Amino acid sequence: MPGEFELIQRFLSHFPRARVPVGPGDDCAVLAPSREATCVTTDATVEDVHFTRATFSAADIGHKALAVNLSDLAAMGATPRWFVCALALPRDYPPRELSALARGMATLARAHRIALVGGNFTSAREVSVTLTVTGSLARAPLLRSGARPGDALYVSGTLGDARLGFQQLQRGVTRGSAVRRQRRPEPRVALGRIASRFASAGMDVSDGLAQDLGHLCEASRVGVRMELERLPLSPAVRAALGPEGALAGGEDYELLLAVPPSRERAFERACARAGERVTRIGELTRERGWVVLNAAGRCVPPAPGFDHFRGRASR
Ligand SMILES: [Mg+2]
């Protein structure tokens, strides 16, 4: 394996030079943030936990490691600014794979104008990519705790595709839109910024809608009334998982948003103008329970994710 210095040079060569007072190469990066408040989050993407090298290319790993972090910035309504990267690699990791990993990450970084300002390398048995990302807030952050009874509940994009993609990869299917959603989630950064003008609460859906909605309801002290038929599903997910399977699916990286009734129309118009797909799936209620209706308007038994939430809530 080349020395750490060569690895760093190889990795950095794929990223644009960061426009900060001090970038990579010194003991610390030095940033000069604007007066806007800064969001910070960190997330590790680890081999055999979040991906396998048999089913993810190096570029997929680089993309996904950054995407899951950007999704958390999107959830707060933040604009991505800077990030640092701690990379652990096996000693025999091929240099061209390192370049591919960097390219996957750099392509997404460029698309969202987030600058790599530092990081470090260590050797380890598994590949792991730990990123710390920052974003600036032009407005108050979107929190999980801001929703009120009567607010409309929206979700972006479609649900369940990444779960279906995971199942397909396990069965040896390596192509198609679901597999792509599993390998290359697209963080809803632009939508998050729009939502920060209208929504009372928001979060990203990383553990499955049922579970994450549980967190939002708990934080906001509200219940929910939701219609299964309104869940936005791709034809493939509708056929393979159905609405209940999509509710339990993880790694969607869509946004879940609560919008006060007086702002629903304006929010939907702003999303339409920006080409951001959102679907109204229900309302939040004063009663702290879950009402999930099927196509016939009857209450259906809770999906597995709902059971999980109940278990957590009762502890
Ligand atoms: Mg999150």
Side-chain angles (χ1 to χ4, degrees):
M1 193 185 206
E4 190 183 350
F5 181 77
E6 283 161 76
L7 287 178
I8 291 171
Q9 292 312 312
R10 178 180 278 269
F11 191 77
L12 285 176
S13 68
H14 297 279
F15 291 84
R17 212 185 148 86
R19 274 184 270 170
V20 290
V22 180
D26 235 291
D27 293 299
C28 286
V30 177
L31 311 175
S34 63
R35 293 175 63 179
E36 292 178 346
T38 300
C39 285
V40 184
T41 186
T42 189
D43 227 322
T45 300
V46 179
E47 183 175 357
D48 295 335
V49 178
H50 302 102
F51 66 89
T52 67
R53 277 195 267 166
T55 56
F56 277 59
S57 73
D60 293 333
I61 297 165
H63 175 104
K64 190 163 181 179
L66 181 56
V68 302
N69 278 280
L70 289 175
S71 182
D72 279 327
L73 292 181
M76 305 294 285
T79 300
R81 289 284 184 240
W82 301 295
F83 73 111
V84 292
C85 171
L87 199 53
L89 297 174
R91 287 189 187 283
D92 59 355
Y93 198 67
R96 66 171 190 290
E97 297 276 284
L98 176 62
S99 289
L101 194 154
R103 274 199 304 274
M105 190 181 287
T107 302
L108 187 64
R110 220 172 276 121
H112 290 283
R113 299 186 182 179
I114 186 167
L116 178 66
V117 295
N120 89 306
F121 277 94
T122 53
S123 62
R125 229 172 292 167
E126 285 91 25
V127 176
S128 104
V129 189
T130 303
L131 302 185
T132 300
V133 300
T134 72
S136 60
L137 287 165
R139 294 185 182 76
L142 276 174
L143 304 180
R144 299 175 179 195
S145 55
R148 296 288 169 263
D151 287 356
L153 191 62
Y154 287 87
V155 71
S156 64
T158 57
L159 299 171
D161 302 85
R163 182 183 190 196
L164 178 61
F166 177 76
Q167 293 175 354
Q168 290 177 343
L169 283 172
Q170 286 190 313
R171 292 200 307 268
V173 178
T174 58
R175 282 164 191 276
S177 63
V179 165
R180 186 166 174 85
R181 283 283 300 270
Q182 167 59 225
R183 287 172 170 160
R184 302 261 180 149
E186 284 299 334
R188 304 299 184 194
V189 173
L191 175 61
R193 278 203 298 267
I194 293 170
S196 71
R197 290 156 49 202
F198 302 98
S200 57
M203 65 182 298
D204 69 329
V205 183
S206 52
D207 296 328
L209 180 70
Q211 196 174 321
D212 287 325
L213 179 53
H215 296 318
L216 189 137
C217 287
E218 205 170 354
S220 291
R221 306 171 144 270
V222 293
V224 65
R225 186 177 191 281
M226 196 168 75
E227 292 171 49
L228 280 184
E229 288 307 303
R230 291 210 202 169
L231 290 181
L233 307 182
S234 63
V237 166
R238 193 171 293 283
L241 303 177
E244 298 207 29
L247 273 179
E251 303 191 285
D252 292 310
Y253 299 108
E254 296 294 350
L255 295 188
L256 178 63
L257 300 161
V259 178
S262 62
R263 297 189 206 142
E264 278 181 55
R265 292 276 304 277
F267 171 64
E268 289 186 12
R269 272 200 301 268
C271 290
R273 266 200 304 274
E276 297 289 335
R277 177 178 175 179
V278 292
T279 306
R280 192 186 193 285
I281 59 171
E283 300 88 33
L284 299 172
T285 59
R286 195 169 300 282
E287 302 74 46
R288 295 284 299 275
W290 301 77
V291 178
V292 182
L293 303 171
N294 65 12
R298 295 207 181 84
C299 272
V300 294
F306 285 89
D307 287 338
H308 182 85
F309 167 62
R310 281 185 178 170
R312 293 169 65 94
S314 63
R315 271 204 293 275

